[in-house]
Amino acid sequence: MGKFIYDGGPKVEVEDRALTHIQLVITAKLRRGEPFPFTWKDDSSVGGGRTTVWVHAGSSIVFKYAGSRQPAINRAWVDTLAYTASAPTGLYLVPEPANTSPVTGQMDAIS
Protein backbone atom coordinates (compact mmCIF):
# COMPACT_ATOMS: atom_id res chain seq x y z
CA MET A 1 0.00 0.00 0.00
CA GLY A 2 1.30 3.39 -0.98
CA LYS A 3 0.26 6.75 0.44
CA PHE A 4 -1.04 9.99 -0.97
CA ILE A 5 0.01 12.82 1.36
CA TYR A 6 -1.35 16.34 0.90
CA ASP A 7 0.45 19.41 2.29
CA GLY A 8 1.96 17.37 5.12
CA GLY A 9 -1.50 16.84 6.61
CA PRO A 10 -4.30 14.72 5.14
CA LYS A 11 -3.14 11.36 3.85
CA VAL A 12 -4.69 8.16 2.62
CA GLU A 13 -3.35 4.69 1.91
CA VAL A 14 -3.86 3.66 -1.69
CA GLU A 15 -2.77 0.48 -3.43
CA ASP A 16 0.36 1.20 -5.51
CA ARG A 17 -1.30 0.42 -8.86
CA ALA A 18 -4.19 2.79 -8.18
CA LEU A 19 -1.81 5.44 -6.82
CA THR A 20 0.21 5.34 -10.05
CA HIS A 21 -2.92 6.04 -12.07
CA ILE A 22 -4.01 8.82 -9.71
CA GLN A 23 -0.54 10.38 -10.00
CA LEU A 24 -0.78 10.41 -13.79
CA VAL A 25 -4.10 12.25 -13.68
CA ILE A 26 -3.02 14.74 -11.01
CA THR A 27 0.25 15.64 -12.71
CA ALA A 28 -1.46 16.02 -16.11
CA LYS A 29 -4.10 18.35 -14.63
CA LEU A 30 -1.49 20.44 -12.81
CA ARG A 31 0.70 20.66 -15.92
CA ARG A 32 -2.28 22.24 -17.68
CA GLY A 33 -2.90 24.63 -14.77
CA GLU A 34 -6.22 23.03 -13.85
CA PRO A 35 -6.94 22.93 -10.09
CA PHE A 36 -9.56 20.43 -8.88
CA PRO A 37 -10.91 18.70 -5.76
CA PHE A 38 -9.74 15.18 -4.84
CA THR A 39 -11.96 13.13 -2.51
CA TRP A 40 -11.36 9.80 -0.80
CA LYS A 41 -13.13 7.67 1.78
CA ASP A 42 -11.45 7.58 5.16
CA ASP A 43 -10.82 4.24 6.81
CA SER A 44 -12.98 3.40 9.82
CA SER A 45 -9.77 3.22 11.91
CA VAL A 46 -9.51 7.01 11.57
CA GLY A 47 -13.19 7.69 12.12
CA GLY A 48 -14.61 6.96 8.67
CA GLY A 49 -16.24 9.61 6.53
CA ARG A 50 -14.45 11.21 3.63
CA THR A 51 -11.83 13.86 2.97
CA THR A 52 -11.66 16.35 0.12
CA VAL A 53 -8.59 18.44 -0.68
CA TRP A 54 -8.23 21.22 -3.24
CA VAL A 55 -5.34 20.30 -5.55
CA HIS A 56 -3.61 23.26 -7.21
CA ALA A 57 -0.18 24.26 -8.50
CA GLY A 58 0.98 25.37 -5.04
CA SER A 59 -0.04 22.10 -3.35
CA SER A 60 2.62 20.03 -1.65
CA ILE A 61 1.82 16.47 -2.72
CA VAL A 62 3.71 13.27 -1.97
CA PHE A 63 3.08 9.95 -3.74
CA LYS A 64 4.79 7.35 -1.52
CA TYR A 65 4.96 3.84 -2.99
CA ALA A 66 5.47 0.65 -1.01
CA GLY A 67 6.90 -1.23 -3.99
CA SER A 68 9.76 -0.34 -6.31
CA ARG A 69 8.28 -1.48 -9.63
CA GLN A 70 6.10 0.72 -11.79
CA PRO A 71 2.93 -1.14 -12.83
CA ALA A 72 1.65 -1.30 -16.40
CA ILE A 73 -0.62 1.62 -17.18
CA ASN A 74 -4.26 1.02 -18.07
CA ARG A 75 -5.15 3.91 -20.40
CA ALA A 76 -8.88 3.28 -19.93
CA TRP A 77 -8.46 3.77 -16.16
CA VAL A 78 -6.45 6.96 -16.64
CA ASP A 79 -9.16 8.29 -18.96
CA THR A 80 -11.92 7.38 -16.49
CA LEU A 81 -10.08 9.03 -13.58
CA ALA A 82 -9.36 12.11 -15.71
CA TYR A 83 -13.07 12.35 -16.53
CA THR A 84 -13.96 12.39 -12.82
CA ALA A 85 -11.25 14.99 -12.13
CA SER A 86 -12.81 17.29 -14.74
CA ALA A 87 -16.34 16.90 -13.36
CA PRO A 88 -17.76 19.27 -10.72
CA THR A 89 -17.34 16.59 -8.02
CA GLY A 90 -13.62 16.25 -8.78
CA LEU A 91 -11.24 13.31 -8.73
CA TYR A 92 -12.14 10.18 -6.80
CA LEU A 93 -10.99 6.59 -7.11
CA VAL A 94 -13.16 4.43 -9.37
CA PRO A 95 -12.74 0.70 -10.05
CA GLU A 96 -10.29 -0.23 -12.77
CA PRO A 97 -12.06 -0.92 -16.07
CA ALA A 98 -10.99 -3.65 -18.48
CA ASN A 99 -7.62 -2.83 -19.99
CA THR A 100 -8.33 -1.88 -23.58
CA SER A 101 -4.97 -0.41 -24.54
CA PRO A 102 -2.03 -1.11 -22.24
CA VAL A 103 0.72 1.47 -22.16
CA THR A 104 4.21 0.66 -20.98
CA GLY A 105 7.14 2.93 -20.39
CA GLN A 106 7.39 6.30 -18.71
CA MET A 107 4.57 7.49 -16.48
CA ASP A 108 4.74 11.00 -17.88
CA ALA A 109 3.92 9.69 -21.36
CA ILE A 110 0.24 10.30 -20.63
CA SER A 111 -1.06 13.85 -20.45
Side-chain angles (χ1 to χ4, degrees), residues 1-4 12-17 19 63-67:
M1 283 294 230
K3 289 182 183 172
F4 172 84
V12 62
E13 287 191 348
V14 181
E15 189 272 324
D16 279 5
R17 181 169 173 72
L19 188 59
F63 300 93
K64 175 69 175 138
Y65 294 90

Side-chain angles (χ1 to χ4, degrees), residues 3-79:
K3 289 182 183 172
F4 172 84
I5 305 167
Y6 183 81
D7 277 336
K11 60 185 151 208
V12 62
E13 287 191 348
V14 181
E15 189 272 324
D16 279 5
R17 181 169 173 72
L19 188 59
T20 297
H21 287 76
I22 289 169
Q23 181 180 350
L24 288 170
V25 171
I26 289 175
T27 55
K29 296 278 288 174
L30 292 178
R31 253 189 251 119
R32 292 190 299 265
E34 300 173 1
F36 59 96
F38 176 31
T39 301
W40 62 83
K41 291 180 182 178
D42 293 316
D43 191 71
S44 59
S45 67
V46 293
R50 68 179 185 268
T51 299
T52 299
V53 295
W54 183 248
V55 180
H56 56 90
S59 300
S60 174
I61 300 171
V62 176
F63 300 93
K64 175 69 175 138
Y65 294 90
S68 60
R69 291 189 180 147
Q70 179 181 329
I73 304 304
N74 179 338
R75 182 61 194 231
W77 200 7
V78 171
D79 291 344

